[in-house]
Amino acid sequence: DAKTTQPPSMDCAEGRAANLPCNHSTISGNEYVYWYRQIHSQGPQYIIHGLKNNETNEMASLIITEDRKSSTLILPHATLRDTAVYYCIVRVTLLNTGNQFYFGTGTSLTVIP
Amino acid sequence: DGGITQSPKYLFRKEGQNVTLSCEQNLNHDAMYWYRQDPGQGLRLIYYSQIVNDFQKGDIAEGYSVSREKKESFPLTVTSAQKNPTAFYLCASRVGKNPLGTDNSNQPQHFGDGTRLSIL
């Protein structure tokens, strides 16, 4: 159970904003949303995470809806190096065994020159 | 530089052999994780460890074993019981509780660059 749903693929023109959606309709109150990206044959790279407030860092912005059932990762000015698979992940805390992170199949973003 | 090191980058296994994948971190992280990734798919959790000398099964632990004798090391053994071991294996770590006991569980995982295991 991946707990998140993402479109399998998206294209974005270089220099434009890339908006990557994620649905997490079963998220509960203490579960954070994380975004990672993975370039082929490398380990996933952490981008950003949030609970209920919008977040921004040097890589991206994360917009979480008020009901927390969906979120959007925004890359403000996409470059060719942003071409990767982007994963939206929910962290689940299990009472006795700690935290588990559920990865889905992600969105393959292609930035087009 | 602090980080997570996985070795080797490529590994080949003969039928019936056990092989061990190395994962070392110098980030002083308490928690460590092993994932498996198959082509075109997301990551699936094999085992994780929240603290030294303790570990828990993930979603696909059958055919795998781990140990956590040192904080910085979390080796994964792929046993002969794992019938479909060909995959990309990823190790991750995350900061755990700080010395004052405050929960840092919202902190993200950091990943190594993976080991690709193939069957000869």
Side-chain angles (χ1 to χ4, degrees):
Chain A
D1 182 4
K3 296 186 177 292
T4 62
T5 305
Q6 299 176 253
S9 63
M10 292 181 63
D11 293 338
C12 178
E14 187 178 17
R16 305 296 291 268
N19 297 288
L20 291 90
C22 179
N23 287 324
H24 29 80
S25 58
T26 60
I27 197 169
S28 61
N30 64 344
E31 292 178 344
Y32 282 74
V33 179
Y34 297 78
W35 283 84
Y36 284 77
R37 70 182 183 185
Q38 187 178 27
I39 297 169
H40 183 63
S41 294
Q42 295 183 20
Q45 176 191 21
Y46 165 75
I47 300 173
I48 198 167
H49 73 285
L51 181 62
K52 53 184 177 183
N53 298 322
N54 297 338
E55 303 287 345
T56 295
N57 63 20
E58 65 279 5
M59 291 183 68
S61 294
L62 174 60
I63 308 298
I64 303 174
T65 58
E66 192 169 343
D67 64 7
R68 304 209 324 117
K69 293 183 184 301
S70 66
S71 60
T72 301
L73 179 75
I74 301 172
L75 309 177
H77 306 286
T79 71
L80 299 179
R81 287 177 296 180
D82 292 323
T83 293
V85 177
Y86 287 77
Y87 294 99
C88 168
I89 299 144
V90 170
R91 175 186 64 84
V92 176
T93 299
L94 304 175
L95 184 61
N96 295 320
T97 57
N99 300 290
Q100 288 197 33
F101 291 73
Y102 288 93
F103 284 75
T105 54
T107 296
S108 178
L109 174 69
T110 301
V111 180
I112 302 169
Chain B
D1 262 0
I4 302 172
T5 302
Q6 290 188 243
S7 62
K9 191 170 179 65
Y10 298 96
L11 186 59
F12 299 91
R13 194 191 91 170
K14 293 181 181 178
E15 296 282 352
Q17 267 188 343
N18 295 351
V19 291
T20 298
L21 283 62
S22 170
C23 179
E24 303 278 332
Q25 54 97 0
N26 60 4
L27 299 166
N28 199 32
H29 285 172
D30 287 308
M32 296 186 75
Y33 304 79
W34 274 105
Y35 293 90
R36 169 184 172 136
Q37 186 175 34
D38 293 283
Q41 299 192 26
L43 281 65
R44 292 184 291 166
L45 183 65
I46 305 173
Y47 268 99
Y48 63 106
S49 169
Q50 300 281 72
I51 198 169
V52 175
N53 292 323
D54 185 54
F55 48 82
Q56 307 291 336
K57 292 182 179 180
D59 298 321
I60 55 165
E62 185 174 352
Y64 300 97
S65 65
V66 294
S67 63
R68 187 84 188 278
E69 297 176 1
K70 297 187 297 182
K71 186 175 186 177
E72 58 270 22
S73 178
F74 191 40
L76 173 74
T77 297
V78 184
T79 74
S80 57
Q82 172 49 244
K83 297 306 179 188
N84 185 22
T86 297
F88 188 45
Y89 290 88
L90 287 157
C91 178
S93 72
R94 191 183 56 80
V95 65
K97 288 185 185 291
N98 69 29
L100 297 178
T102 304
D103 185 16
N104 290 315
S105 58
N106 63 316
Q107 294 303 303
Q109 295 182 338
H110 298 274
F111 285 83
D113 280 334
T115 293
R116 192 166 297 280
L117 176 62
S118 302
I119 298 300
L120 290 177

